[in-house]
Amino acid sequence: MNDENYPVVKKSIPTFYFIGVTTGKSSIMKVFPLWMKVLGLEDVVMEGVDCKIHDVPEVYRKAVAQIKYDPLSLGALVTTHKIDLLTAARDMFDYLDPYAMITDEVSSISKLEDRLEGHAKDPITSGASLDAIIEKDYFGKTHGDVLCFGAGGSAIATLLHLINKKDKGDRPDKFTFVNRSQGRLDHAMEMVRGLKTDIEIEYICNSDPEINDKIMEQFPPYSIIINATGMGKDTPGSPLTWAGKFPMNSVSWEFNYRGELDFLHQSLAQVESRKVKVEDGWLYFVHGWTQVVAQVLHFDLTPALFDKLNEVASSVKGV
Ligand SMILES: NC(=O)c1ccc[n+]([C@@H]2O[C@H](COP(=O)([O-])OP(=O)(O)OC[C@H]3O[C@@H](n4cnc5c(N)ncnc54)[C@H](OP(=O)(O)O)[C@@H]3O)[C@@H](O)[C@H]2O)c1
C-alpha cells in the first residue's frame, strides 16, 4: 500500500507499462519482445493501461502509484494522456526534466534509485522525425509555414523543437495551431510566453472541418500540415473534409500510423494533383519508443543501436 492507499499490484516479473487509449492494438506489443531480445532483457514484459481521453485524475494517479510503489514495475511510456497525467499526478514525481517543466507533460515515467522521474521526450522524438522528413534549411528554401491541427502534447513539442532550431532557415516564419477547445491553446500560449522566438504563432479555436479546409487553403506552397488531433485513430474522422485542398508541394504529416487514418488518405488522394508529400507516424513511433525504453531500462541509445531497433521494428510493421 502507498501513501494514498491505491491498490498496488506486486509484480513477479519486471513490467514496462504503456499508458494509452487502445494499447492492445499498437505495434509495440509485437515490437517490444523483439527489442527485449536484442537488448538481452527477455524477462521484461509489456502491459497496456487503457484510459479514456481526458480521464479522471484518480485513474492517472493509480497508474503512477503502481510504478512508484511496486519495485518490479519499471516505468511507462505515456501517449495521448501526457498532459492530463502530469496535471493529475505532478506531486508524485521526484524529478521532472526541463522539457517536462516547459511543456507540462510527461511521455516517460522511469525510476532512478528511489526517485520517480518524468521526462517529456516528444520535443526530441517529434523533432528527430521531422528532421528526417524535411531537409536542412527547408523553411529558408521554401518559405512554407506550419499548420498543426491539435494543440496537445505532441503538437506543442513540435513547436518547441522548431523554436530551438539555431538556424533561421530551419524555423518557419509562422506556426498555426488549430484546436477544438480553448484550454489547450491557452496552455500552448502560456508555454510560448516564457520562451524567446521569432516564429509568429497563431492560435485558432475551431473544430468545424469546413472552416479548417478554408484555413488550410490559405497556407503557402511547401507548408507542413500536421494532424496531431488523434482523429482517424483515437476518435473517428479527420479535422478536414474531403474537399479541403492541401497547399501545392506541401508535406502532410499524420502523427499516427494505425487506425482509419482519414487525414492520411485525404492527403494521399492529392499526391498527384497537388504534389503532396505524405508521411505517417511510424518513424515518430520508433523514435518515441526507443527514447523511453532507453530511459526506463537505463541503456545508451547509440545511433547503431537505434538502427538495429528500427530494423527489427520495421520487420513487423503492418503485420
Ligand atoms: N506516432 C507516434 O509515435 C505518436 C507520437 C505522439 C503522438 N501520436 C499521436 O498523435 C495524437 C496526438 O497526441 P497528443 O499526445 O498530442 O494528444 P493530446 O494531448 O490528447 O492532443 C490532441 C489534441 O487534439 C485536439 N483535437 C481533437 N480533435 C480535434 C479537432 N477536430 N480539431 C482540432 N483539434 C482537435 C484535442 O483538443 P481538446 O483539448 O479539445 O481535447 C487535443 O488538444 C494521438 O493520436 C497520438 O497517438 C503519435
Side-chain angles (χ1 to χ4, degrees), residues 53-54 78-84 105 122 125-126 148-156 178-185 204 206-209 212 227-231 233-235 238-239 254-258 280-289:
I53 293 174
H54 299 313
V78 185
T79 183
T80 308
H81 312 286
K82 288 170 267 209
I83 294 174
D84 292 329
E105 61 156 69
D122 266 5
T125 58
S126 80
C148 184
F149 294 110
S154 54
I156 289 178
V178 179
N179 200 69
R180 178 174 57 188
S181 60
Q182 186 60 39
R184 288 288 168 84
L185 293 169
I204 301 174
N206 175 55
S207 60
D208 179 341
N212 283 340
N227 179 24
T229 64
M231 291 186 87
K233 188 199 114 205
D234 301 330
T235 56
S238 160
E254 160 60 62
F255 271 4
N256 285 304
Y257 66 89
R258 65 182 171 94
D280 71 7
W282 178 257
L283 193 58
Y284 193 173
F285 164 81
V286 178
H287 275 298
W289 271 99

Side-chain angles (χ1 to χ4, degrees), residues 53-285:
I53 293 174
H54 299 313
D55 215 330
V56 292
E58 284 66 34
V59 167
Y60 298 123
R61 291 186 72 83
K62 185 169 165 252
V64 174
Q66 175 64 33
I67 298 164
K68 186 168 167 122
Y69 297 107
D70 173 49
L72 285 180
S73 292
L74 305 179
L77 178 139
V78 185
T79 183
T80 308
H81 312 286
K82 288 170 267 209
I83 294 174
D84 292 329
L85 181 140
L86 186 59
T87 305
R90 181 181 282 267
D91 60 298
M92 298 170 83
F93 287 88
D94 303 298
Y95 169 80
L96 294 172
D97 83 330
Y99 275 142
M101 304 279 277
I102 294 172
T103 58
D104 275 328
E105 61 156 69
V106 286
S107 55
S108 163
I109 304 175
S110 58
K111 293 196 275 196
L112 188 62
E113 290 148 10
D114 282 343
R115 292 192 332 177
L116 187 75
E117 302 194 329
H119 292 78
K121 296 287 186 188
D122 266 5
I124 299 164
T125 58
S126 80
S129 316
L130 184 57
D131 287 348
I133 293 172
I134 56 173
E135 75 265 33
K136 175 104 194 83
D137 199 33
Y138 180 83
F139 298 105
K141 281 186 203 139
T142 65
H143 302 288
D145 287 329
V146 179
L147 170 60
C148 184
F149 294 110
S154 54
I156 289 178
T158 305
L159 171 62
L160 199 54
H161 164 76
L162 291 169
I163 286 176
N164 284 342
K165 283 285 183 191
K166 280 198 188 68
D167 297 331
K168 174 76 189 99
D170 293 325
R171 297 190 299 269
D173 286 339
K174 194 169 169 191
F175 188 109
T176 301
F177 288 110
V178 179
N179 200 69
R180 178 174 57 188
S181 60
Q182 186 60 39
R184 288 288 168 84
L185 293 169
D186 293 344
H187 178 261
M189 227 179 283
E190 192 54 40
M191 180 199 81
V192 171
R193 221 191 304 276
L195 304 168
K196 241 178 100 183
T197 181
D198 58 1
I199 302 175
E200 180 192 344
I201 301 157
E202 192 180 11
Y203 306 87
I204 301 174
C205 187
N206 175 55
S207 60
D208 179 341
E210 287 182 8
I211 293 177
N212 283 340
D213 290 353
K214 292 202 179 86
I215 293 169
M216 181 169 76
E217 283 167 21
Q218 286 160 14
F219 271 69
Y222 294 96
S223 289
I224 299 177
I225 315 294
I226 298 172
N227 179 24
T229 64
M231 291 186 87
K233 188 199 114 205
D234 301 330
T235 56
S238 160
L240 299 168
T241 78
W242 279 85
K245 283 198 183 75
F246 281 78
M248 288 301 295
N249 298 100
S250 54
V251 175
S252 158
W253 188 15
E254 160 60 62
F255 271 4
N256 285 304
Y257 66 89
R258 65 182 171 94
E260 296 298 315
L261 303 180
D262 308 48
F263 174 91
L264 185 97
H265 292 294
Q266 288 167 335
S267 51
L268 279 173
Q270 298 182 36
V271 167
E272 293 287 316
S273 58
R274 304 193 64 78
K275 309 267 178 288
V276 180
K277 181 179 168 192
V278 182
E279 298 287 339
D280 71 7
W282 178 257
L283 193 58
Y284 193 173
F285 164 81

Side-chain angles (χ1 to χ4, degrees), residues 9-20 23-24 28-29 32-33 44-50 62-63 66-67 70 72-77 289:
V9 180
K10 281 262 172 268
K11 292 288 179 183
S12 55
I13 39 177
T15 305
F16 187 121
Y17 296 91
F18 173 18
I19 302 172
T23 57
I28 197 61
M29 295 303 177
F32 191 82
V44 181
V45 298
M46 158 75 59
E47 188 175 313
V49 181
D50 289 343
K62 185 169 165 252
Q66 175 64 33
I67 298 164
D70 173 49
L72 285 180
S73 292
L74 305 179
L77 178 139
W289 271 99

